[in-house]
Amino acid sequence: MLDDPASMNAASTTKLRSGMKMTIRRSVLVGAMTSAMAVGLAVSAPAPTAQAEAGGRWYMVNKYNGKCVKGNGVKEKLVLATCKKKDAFHWNNYGSAQYANYSAPTISYAACIADNGKNKPVYLRACNGGKGTKSFALASLKKGAKTPIAGNCGYLQAVNKTTLKCGRKPSNFNKATWVIKYSLK
């Protein structure tokens, strides 16, 4: 009925319970439905990160010691270091449950966080097919979120001011809590 262009402007008369008649033009009805759908899409779409670094990159800052997770290239251990506006400290989503680092921009593939087993150091490996890269999850990526990062090996956590490991929940959970920052300002 609404597919026929000739019927789009046709009027529809409906008798209400009160006995009054109500007339609605189909074009008004179609317009209202289209507007409602547009509002629904706008509300459900994610909001852009206003203060994010280039490309929506973010930093993972340890709540216990205030240090950032730093990548050192593919097949290298992740470390903690003083946060800097450098690619080695930038992270981004890479598919489902993968987090890519920008420490090795000359390689032809993305490098993601990879577990190496319980109570072992955490490495960067190729996101596509790298052992242990599909296991990590964050509870939230909202600006300022305080979240654990957990994988099959346990929780990503600070051992000291420079060393990371993946293992069982630490007694001081701040060591395994990460603050998500989209800017170092």
Side-chain angles (χ1 to χ4, degrees):
M1 181 163 97
L2 291 176
D3 293 332
D4 179 16
S7 68
M8 293 297 266
N9 285 323
S12 172
T13 303
T14 305
K15 188 171 184 177
L16 301 175
R17 279 189 217 164
S18 63
M20 295 178 55
K21 289 184 179 177
M22 179 174 79
T23 303
I24 300 176
R25 291 210 169 273
R26 287 192 187 107
S27 59
V28 173
L29 181 62
V30 170
M33 289 170 36
T34 304
S35 296
M37 287 177 15
V39 169
L41 287 174
V43 170
S44 65
T49 51
Q51 298 175 334
E53 297 291 343
R57 299 174 180 195
W58 37 273
Y59 302 88
M60 295 186 284
V61 182
N62 188 258
K63 188 175 176 187
Y64 178 73
N65 60 26
K67 302 289 184 179
C68 281
V69 179
K70 178 186 177 204
N72 290 309
V74 178
K75 298 181 183 174
E76 298 293 330
K77 291 179 189 176
L78 295 177
V79 296
L80 289 171
T82 301
C83 302
K84 295 180 182 168
K85 285 187 174 186
K86 297 196 181 270
D87 285 345
F89 294 92
H90 291 174
W91 296 90
N92 211 332
N93 288 344
Y94 187 88
S96 175
Q98 291 181 296
Y99 304 100
N101 179 259
Y102 290 88
S103 61
T106 58
I107 60 174
S108 61
Y109 51 85
C112 287
I113 299 175
D115 77 62
N116 209 34
K118 286 194 184 287
N119 295 314
K120 304 268 177 138
V122 182
Y123 287 79
L124 280 179
R125 292 197 182 103
C127 295
N128 291 333
K131 177 187 165 208
T133 60
K134 296 185 186 333
S135 69
F136 285 93
L138 288 95
S140 174
L141 280 174
K142 289 183 179 178
K143 178 183 171 188
K146 293 172 181 68
T147 179
I149 300 172
N152 292 338
C153 56
Y155 292 93
L156 180 66
Q157 57 193 281
V159 175
N160 56 41
K161 288 195 174 219
T162 60
T163 308
L164 285 167
K165 76 172 185 176
C166 187
R168 67 182 180 91
K169 183 178 175 181
S171 57
N172 182 346
F173 199 64
N174 285 338
K175 290 182 176 185
T177 301
W178 303 90
V179 180
I180 304 301
K181 292 191 174 185
Y182 284 89
S183 173
L184 292 179
K185 296 175 186 177

